[in-house]
mmCIF file of all heavy atoms in Angstrom:
data_model
loop_
_atom_site.group_PDB
_atom_site.id
_atom_site.type_symbol
_atom_site.label_atom_id
_atom_site.label_comp_id
_atom_site.label_asym_id
_atom_site.label_seq_id
_atom_site.Cartn_x
_atom_site.Cartn_y
_atom_site.Cartn_z
ATOM 1 N N TYR A 1 116.055 -38.067 235.653
ATOM 2 C CA TYR A 1 114.884 -38.990 235.164
ATOM 3 C C TYR A 1 113.777 -38.171 234.645
ATOM 4 O O TYR A 1 113.075 -38.634 233.693
ATOM 5 C CB TYR A 1 114.479 -39.864 236.398
ATOM 6 C CG TYR A 1 115.548 -40.812 236.784
ATOM 7 C CD1 TYR A 1 116.311 -40.590 237.923
ATOM 8 C CD2 TYR A 1 115.811 -41.972 235.995
ATOM 9 C CE1 TYR A 1 117.292 -41.470 238.321
ATOM 10 C CE2 TYR A 1 116.842 -42.807 236.356
ATOM 11 C CZ TYR A 1 117.643 -42.616 237.496
ATOM 12 O OH TYR A 1 118.583 -43.437 237.855
ATOM 13 N N GLY A 2 113.549 -36.959 235.160
ATOM 14 C CA GLY A 2 112.570 -36.106 234.555
ATOM 15 C C GLY A 2 112.883 -35.801 233.119
ATOM 16 O O GLY A 2 112.049 -35.647 232.212
ATOM 17 N N ASN A 3 114.172 -35.470 232.863
ATOM 18 C CA ASN A 3 114.640 -35.194 231.557
ATOM 19 C C ASN A 3 114.395 -36.418 230.593
ATOM 20 O O ASN A 3 114.079 -36.176 229.344
ATOM 21 C CB ASN A 3 116.052 -34.779 231.590
ATOM 22 C CG ASN A 3 116.251 -33.357 232.138
ATOM 23 O OD1 ASN A 3 115.293 -32.577 232.159
ATOM 24 N ND2 ASN A 3 117.410 -33.028 232.581
ATOM 25 N N TYR A 4 114.559 -37.635 231.093
ATOM 26 C CA TYR A 4 114.251 -38.792 230.353
ATOM 27 C C TYR A 4 112.821 -38.841 229.915
ATOM 28 O O TYR A 4 112.463 -39.140 228.724
ATOM 29 C CB TYR A 4 114.592 -40.085 231.034
ATOM 30 C CG TYR A 4 116.053 -40.399 231.360
ATOM 31 C CD1 TYR A 4 116.462 -41.015 232.517
ATOM 32 C CD2 TYR A 4 116.991 -40.066 230.340
ATOM 33 C CE1 TYR A 4 117.803 -41.341 232.707
ATOM 34 C CE2 TYR A 4 118.411 -40.343 230.621
ATOM 35 C CZ TYR A 4 118.771 -41.019 231.750
ATOM 36 O OH TYR A 4 120.024 -41.247 232.005
ATOM 37 N N ALA A 5 111.970 -38.485 230.825
ATOM 38 C CA ALA A 5 110.538 -38.377 230.520
ATOM 39 C C ALA A 5 110.238 -37.349 229.466
ATOM 40 O O ALA A 5 109.523 -37.558 228.515
ATOM 41 C CB ALA A 5 109.744 -38.139 231.717
ATOM 42 N N ARG A 6 110.868 -36.123 229.607
ATOM 43 C CA ARG A 6 110.579 -35.088 228.658
ATOM 44 C C ARG A 6 111.188 -35.519 227.300
ATOM 45 O O ARG A 6 110.566 -35.176 226.254
ATOM 46 C CB ARG A 6 111.275 -33.774 229.163
ATOM 47 C CG ARG A 6 110.473 -33.042 230.126
ATOM 48 C CD ARG A 6 111.055 -31.685 230.550
ATOM 49 N NE ARG A 6 112.059 -31.886 231.577
ATOM 50 C CZ ARG A 6 111.762 -32.071 232.925
ATOM 51 N NH1 ARG A 6 110.570 -32.211 233.282
ATOM 52 N NH2 ARG A 6 112.780 -32.198 233.773
ATOM 53 N N SER A 7 112.311 -36.169 227.295
ATOM 54 C CA SER A 7 112.899 -36.678 225.992
ATOM 55 C C SER A 7 111.912 -37.719 225.299
ATOM 56 O O SER A 7 111.695 -37.657 224.145
ATOM 57 C CB SER A 7 114.224 -37.262 226.266
ATOM 58 O OG SER A 7 114.711 -37.858 225.071
ATOM 59 N N ALA A 8 111.415 -38.591 226.166
ATOM 60 C CA ALA A 8 110.400 -39.559 225.586
ATOM 61 C C ALA A 8 109.233 -38.877 225.014
ATOM 62 O O ALA A 8 108.683 -39.194 223.858
ATOM 63 C CB ALA A 8 110.030 -40.566 226.665
ATOM 64 N N ALA A 9 108.712 -37.810 225.722
ATOM 65 C CA ALA A 9 107.536 -37.080 225.249
ATOM 66 C C ALA A 9 107.847 -36.435 223.958
ATOM 67 O O ALA A 9 107.026 -36.391 223.076
ATOM 68 C CB ALA A 9 107.109 -36.090 226.320
ATOM 69 N N LYS A 10 109.046 -35.820 223.798
ATOM 70 C CA LYS A 10 109.426 -35.154 222.533
ATOM 71 C C LYS A 10 109.521 -36.216 221.426
ATOM 72 O O LYS A 10 109.087 -35.983 220.298
ATOM 73 C CB LYS A 10 110.758 -34.386 222.800
ATOM 74 C CG LYS A 10 111.134 -33.671 221.485
ATOM 75 C CD LYS A 10 112.384 -32.851 221.671
ATOM 76 C CE LYS A 10 112.801 -32.060 220.453
ATOM 77 N NZ LYS A 10 112.257 -32.345 219.180
ATOM 78 N N GLY A 11 110.137 -37.377 221.749
ATOM 79 C CA GLY A 11 110.155 -38.400 220.742
ATOM 80 C C GLY A 11 108.828 -38.834 220.181
ATOM 81 O O GLY A 11 108.643 -38.994 218.964
ATOM 82 N N ILE A 12 107.926 -39.007 221.135
ATOM 83 C CA ILE A 12 106.558 -39.350 220.735
ATOM 84 C C ILE A 12 105.860 -38.235 219.879
ATOM 85 O O ILE A 12 105.269 -38.492 218.880
ATOM 86 C CB ILE A 12 105.625 -39.603 221.972
ATOM 87 C CG1 ILE A 12 106.103 -40.903 222.719
ATOM 88 C CG2 ILE A 12 104.172 -39.723 221.599
ATOM 89 C CD1 ILE A 12 105.545 -41.117 224.022
ATOM 90 N N ASP A 13 106.088 -36.896 220.346
ATOM 91 C CA ASP A 13 105.601 -35.845 219.504
ATOM 92 C C ASP A 13 106.252 -35.841 218.045
ATOM 93 O O ASP A 13 105.435 -35.610 217.185
ATOM 94 C CB ASP A 13 105.858 -34.521 220.201
ATOM 95 C CG ASP A 13 104.837 -34.124 221.227
ATOM 96 O OD1 ASP A 13 103.720 -34.661 221.186
ATOM 97 O OD2 ASP A 13 105.130 -33.286 222.070
ATOM 98 N N ASP A 14 107.490 -36.015 218.026
ATOM 99 C CA ASP A 14 108.141 -35.973 216.735
ATOM 100 C C ASP A 14 107.647 -37.069 215.830
ATOM 101 O O ASP A 14 107.431 -36.900 214.653
ATOM 102 C CB ASP A 14 109.675 -36.092 216.877
ATOM 103 C CG ASP A 14 110.276 -34.871 217.518
ATOM 104 O OD1 ASP A 14 109.656 -33.842 217.623
ATOM 105 O OD2 ASP A 14 111.472 -35.017 217.954
ATOM 106 N N PHE A 15 107.459 -38.282 216.363
ATOM 107 C CA PHE A 15 106.968 -39.459 215.673
ATOM 108 C C PHE A 15 105.570 -39.145 215.124
ATOM 109 O O PHE A 15 105.205 -39.372 214.028
ATOM 110 C CB PHE A 15 106.931 -40.642 216.457
ATOM 111 C CG PHE A 15 106.359 -41.899 215.713
ATOM 112 C CD1 PHE A 15 107.114 -42.558 214.777
ATOM 113 C CD2 PHE A 15 105.156 -42.308 216.142
ATOM 114 C CE1 PHE A 15 106.483 -43.638 214.053
ATOM 115 C CE2 PHE A 15 104.546 -43.420 215.483
ATOM 116 C CZ PHE A 15 105.256 -44.080 214.428
ATOM 117 N N ALA A 16 104.701 -38.567 216.038
ATOM 118 C CA ALA A 16 103.370 -38.306 215.615
ATOM 119 C C ALA A 16 103.255 -37.289 214.535
ATOM 120 O O ALA A 16 102.465 -37.354 213.594
ATOM 121 C CB ALA A 16 102.535 -37.831 216.880
ATOM 122 N N ALA A 17 104.209 -36.278 214.604
ATOM 123 C CA ALA A 17 104.220 -35.237 213.546
ATOM 124 C C ALA A 17 104.653 -35.843 212.193
ATOM 125 O O ALA A 17 104.083 -35.427 211.169
ATOM 126 C CB ALA A 17 105.220 -34.108 213.965
ATOM 127 N N LYS A 18 105.620 -36.760 212.267
ATOM 128 C CA LYS A 18 106.020 -37.414 211.037
ATOM 129 C C LYS A 18 104.891 -38.234 210.454
ATOM 130 O O LYS A 18 104.699 -38.212 209.164
ATOM 131 C CB LYS A 18 107.172 -38.334 211.232
ATOM 132 C CG LYS A 18 108.475 -37.559 211.476
ATOM 133 C CD LYS A 18 109.630 -38.555 211.752
ATOM 134 C CE LYS A 18 110.910 -37.758 212.044
ATOM 135 N NZ LYS A 18 112.017 -38.677 212.429
ATOM 136 N N VAL A 19 104.086 -38.912 211.251
ATOM 137 C CA VAL A 19 103.074 -39.750 210.787
ATOM 138 C C VAL A 19 101.864 -38.790 210.206
ATOM 139 O O VAL A 19 101.363 -39.066 209.202
ATOM 140 C CB VAL A 19 102.445 -40.670 211.872
ATOM 141 C CG1 VAL A 19 101.116 -41.216 211.466
ATOM 142 C CG2 VAL A 19 103.557 -41.724 212.238
ATOM 143 N N GLU A 20 101.679 -37.781 210.938
ATOM 144 C CA GLU A 20 100.607 -36.801 210.524
ATOM 145 C C GLU A 20 100.979 -36.159 209.159
ATOM 146 O O GLU A 20 100.061 -35.892 208.374
ATOM 147 C CB GLU A 20 100.478 -35.706 211.607
ATOM 148 C CG GLU A 20 99.308 -34.765 211.290
ATOM 149 C CD GLU A 20 97.918 -35.448 211.371
ATOM 150 O OE1 GLU A 20 97.777 -36.384 212.144
ATOM 151 O OE2 GLU A 20 97.027 -34.977 210.623
ATOM 152 N N ALA A 21 102.213 -35.931 208.932
ATOM 153 C CA ALA A 21 102.645 -35.251 207.676
ATOM 154 C C ALA A 21 102.555 -36.196 206.408
ATOM 155 O O ALA A 21 102.513 -35.715 205.343
ATOM 156 C CB ALA A 21 104.142 -34.794 207.832
ATOM 157 N N LYS A 22 102.448 -37.487 206.672
ATOM 158 C CA LYS A 22 102.354 -38.440 205.551
ATOM 159 C C LYS A 22 100.970 -38.867 205.270
ATOM 160 O O LYS A 22 100.136 -38.964 206.110
ATOM 161 C CB LYS A 22 103.199 -39.711 205.872
ATOM 162 C CG LYS A 22 104.722 -39.366 205.939
ATOM 163 C CD LYS A 22 105.503 -40.605 206.153
ATOM 164 C CE LYS A 22 106.976 -40.378 206.159
ATOM 165 N NZ LYS A 22 107.807 -41.566 206.001
ATOM 166 N N ASP A 23 100.733 -39.189 203.962
ATOM 167 C CA ASP A 23 99.414 -39.768 203.747
ATOM 168 C C ASP A 23 99.562 -41.257 203.900
ATOM 169 O O ASP A 23 100.594 -41.925 204.050
ATOM 170 C CB ASP A 23 98.888 -39.347 202.315
ATOM 171 C CG ASP A 23 99.638 -39.971 201.142
ATOM 172 O OD1 ASP A 23 100.560 -40.869 201.315
ATOM 173 O OD2 ASP A 23 99.392 -39.601 200.017
ATOM 174 N N VAL A 24 98.372 -41.942 203.901
ATOM 175 C CA VAL A 24 98.307 -43.420 204.171
ATOM 176 C C VAL A 24 99.166 -44.183 203.216
ATOM 177 O O VAL A 24 99.881 -45.149 203.630
ATOM 178 C CB VAL A 24 96.828 -43.877 204.179
ATOM 179 C CG1 VAL A 24 96.761 -45.331 204.283
ATOM 180 C CG2 VAL A 24 96.078 -43.197 205.264
ATOM 181 N N ASP A 25 99.170 -43.842 201.918
ATOM 182 C CA ASP A 25 99.896 -44.612 200.894
ATOM 183 C C ASP A 25 101.415 -44.537 201.207
ATOM 184 O O ASP A 25 102.153 -45.533 201.084
ATOM 185 C CB ASP A 25 99.689 -44.095 199.499
ATOM 186 C CG ASP A 25 98.308 -44.371 199.064
ATOM 187 O OD1 ASP A 25 97.672 -45.362 199.542
ATOM 188 O OD2 ASP A 25 97.758 -43.602 198.263
ATOM 189 N N GLU A 26 101.903 -43.362 201.759
ATOM 190 C CA GLU A 26 103.318 -43.245 202.126
ATOM 191 C C GLU A 26 103.628 -44.124 203.321
ATOM 192 O O GLU A 26 104.646 -44.777 203.370
ATOM 193 C CB GLU A 26 103.678 -41.787 202.402
ATOM 194 C CG GLU A 26 103.742 -40.893 201.215
ATOM 195 C CD GLU A 26 103.971 -39.452 201.515
ATOM 196 O OE1 GLU A 26 103.211 -38.907 202.355
ATOM 197 O OE2 GLU A 26 105.026 -38.908 201.175
ATOM 198 N N ILE A 27 102.676 -44.221 204.292
ATOM 199 C CA ILE A 27 102.964 -44.969 205.475
ATOM 200 C C ILE A 27 103.015 -46.420 205.046
ATOM 201 O O ILE A 27 103.921 -47.113 205.600
ATOM 202 C CB ILE A 27 101.802 -44.689 206.527
ATOM 203 C CG1 ILE A 27 101.996 -43.195 207.025
ATOM 204 C CG2 ILE A 27 101.939 -45.640 207.695
ATOM 205 C CD1 ILE A 27 100.712 -42.783 207.902
ATOM 206 N N VAL A 28 102.087 -46.919 204.239
ATOM 207 C CA VAL A 28 102.053 -48.287 203.783
ATOM 208 C C VAL A 28 103.368 -48.581 203.066
ATOM 209 O O VAL A 28 103.953 -49.573 203.334
ATOM 210 C CB VAL A 28 100.850 -48.593 202.951
ATOM 211 C CG1 VAL A 28 100.970 -49.985 202.266
ATOM 212 C CG2 VAL A 28 99.551 -48.498 203.720
ATOM 213 N N GLY A 29 103.801 -47.600 202.261
ATOM 214 C CA GLY A 29 105.097 -47.852 201.463
ATOM 215 C C GLY A 29 106.314 -47.960 202.488
ATOM 216 O O GLY A 29 107.197 -48.774 202.256
ATOM 217 N N ASP A 30 106.263 -47.119 203.508
ATOM 218 C CA ASP A 30 107.420 -47.117 204.477
ATOM 219 C C ASP A 30 107.432 -48.425 205.256
ATOM 220 O O ASP A 30 108.396 -49.055 205.500
ATOM 221 C CB ASP A 30 107.222 -46.068 205.473
ATOM 222 C CG ASP A 30 107.571 -44.677 204.829
ATOM 223 O OD1 ASP A 30 108.122 -44.552 203.734
ATOM 224 O OD2 ASP A 30 107.290 -43.603 205.520
ATOM 225 N N ALA A 31 106.209 -48.973 205.571
ATOM 226 C CA ALA A 31 106.046 -50.200 206.323
ATOM 227 C C ALA A 31 106.552 -51.336 205.439
ATOM 228 O O ALA A 31 107.280 -52.239 205.918
ATOM 229 C CB ALA A 31 104.596 -50.391 206.712
ATOM 230 N N ARG A 32 106.145 -51.340 204.174
ATOM 231 C CA ARG A 32 106.657 -52.419 203.230
ATOM 232 C C ARG A 32 108.209 -52.330 203.204
ATOM 233 O O ARG A 32 108.818 -53.449 203.154
ATOM 234 C CB ARG A 32 106.023 -52.216 201.865
ATOM 235 C CG ARG A 32 104.598 -52.726 201.816
ATOM 236 C CD ARG A 32 104.090 -52.599 200.418
ATOM 237 N NE ARG A 32 102.685 -52.992 200.380
ATOM 238 C CZ ARG A 32 101.776 -52.571 199.572
ATOM 239 N NH1 ARG A 32 102.091 -51.622 198.730
ATOM 240 N NH2 ARG A 32 100.560 -52.995 199.578
ATOM 241 N N GLU A 33 108.752 -51.236 202.982
ATOM 242 C CA GLU A 33 110.153 -51.081 202.909
ATOM 243 C C GLU A 33 110.828 -51.515 204.139
ATOM 244 O O GLU A 33 111.923 -52.260 204.099
ATOM 245 C CB GLU A 33 110.549 -49.581 202.634
ATOM 246 C CG GLU A 33 112.005 -49.382 202.291
ATOM 247 C CD GLU A 33 112.519 -50.022 201.069
ATOM 248 O OE1 GLU A 33 111.693 -50.346 200.221
ATOM 249 O OE2 GLU A 33 113.725 -50.103 200.949
ATOM 250 N N PHE A 34 110.313 -51.175 205.293
ATOM 251 C CA PHE A 34 110.922 -51.641 206.591
ATOM 252 C C PHE A 34 110.900 -53.171 206.645
ATOM 253 O O PHE A 34 111.903 -53.765 207.041
ATOM 254 C CB PHE A 34 110.145 -51.004 207.778
ATOM 255 C CG PHE A 34 110.663 -51.458 209.096
ATOM 256 C CD1 PHE A 34 111.761 -50.793 209.608
ATOM 257 C CD2 PHE A 34 110.084 -52.550 209.744
ATOM 258 C CE1 PHE A 34 112.282 -51.233 210.895
ATOM 259 C CE2 PHE A 34 110.602 -52.962 211.040
ATOM 260 C CZ PHE A 34 111.668 -52.220 211.577
ATOM 261 N N VAL A 35 109.761 -53.728 206.329
ATOM 262 C CA VAL A 35 109.646 -55.204 206.388
ATOM 263 C C VAL A 35 110.580 -55.866 205.413
ATOM 264 O O VAL A 35 111.208 -56.896 205.768
ATOM 265 C CB VAL A 35 108.212 -55.662 206.147
ATOM 266 C CG1 VAL A 35 108.143 -57.199 205.970
ATOM 267 C CG2 VAL A 35 107.254 -55.247 207.271
ATOM 268 N N ARG A 36 110.750 -55.307 204.285
ATOM 269 C CA ARG A 36 111.653 -55.815 203.247
ATOM 270 C C ARG A 36 113.156 -55.723 203.802
ATOM 271 O O ARG A 36 113.860 -56.764 203.572
ATOM 272 C CB ARG A 36 111.582 -55.050 201.940
ATOM 273 C CG ARG A 36 112.327 -55.693 200.779
ATOM 274 C CD ARG A 36 112.159 -54.938 199.475
ATOM 275 N NE ARG A 36 112.775 -53.626 199.514
ATOM 276 C CZ ARG A 36 114.130 -53.445 199.515
ATOM 277 N NH1 ARG A 36 114.930 -54.449 199.415
ATOM 278 N NH2 ARG A 36 114.665 -52.186 199.517
ATOM 279 N N LYS A 37 113.505 -54.676 204.422
ATOM 280 C CA LYS A 37 114.917 -54.508 204.872
ATOM 281 C C LYS A 37 115.165 -55.232 206.162
ATOM 282 O O LYS A 37 116.255 -55.699 206.422
ATOM 283 C CB LYS A 37 115.173 -52.986 205.030
ATOM 284 C CG LYS A 37 115.317 -52.258 203.814
ATOM 285 C CD LYS A 37 115.733 -50.803 204.018
ATOM 286 C CE LYS A 37 116.004 -50.018 202.829
ATOM 287 N NZ LYS A 37 116.326 -48.610 203.090
#
């Protein structure tokens, strides 16, 4: 269960890094594409 928690923490870190690497226009474009699909 501790490993589940560490895995969740890593997933959050990875997601935050992806968001940080994109500019706002890219995030909006990704959101539009997600909603469309």
Side-chain angles (χ1 to χ4, degrees):
Y1 294 104
N3 287 338
Y4 289 147
R6 281 184 275 283
S7 177
K10 182 174 180 349
I12 292 169
D13 274 341
D14 291 348
F15 176 76
K18 287 178 185 177
V19 169
E20 186 65 32
K22 293 184 176 192
D23 69 6
V24 173
D25 292 331
E26 287 176 300
I27 293 170
V28 169
D30 289 350
R32 283 184 181 147
E33 184 67 17
F34 180 82
V35 170
R36 189 180 68 72
K37 286 184 176 179

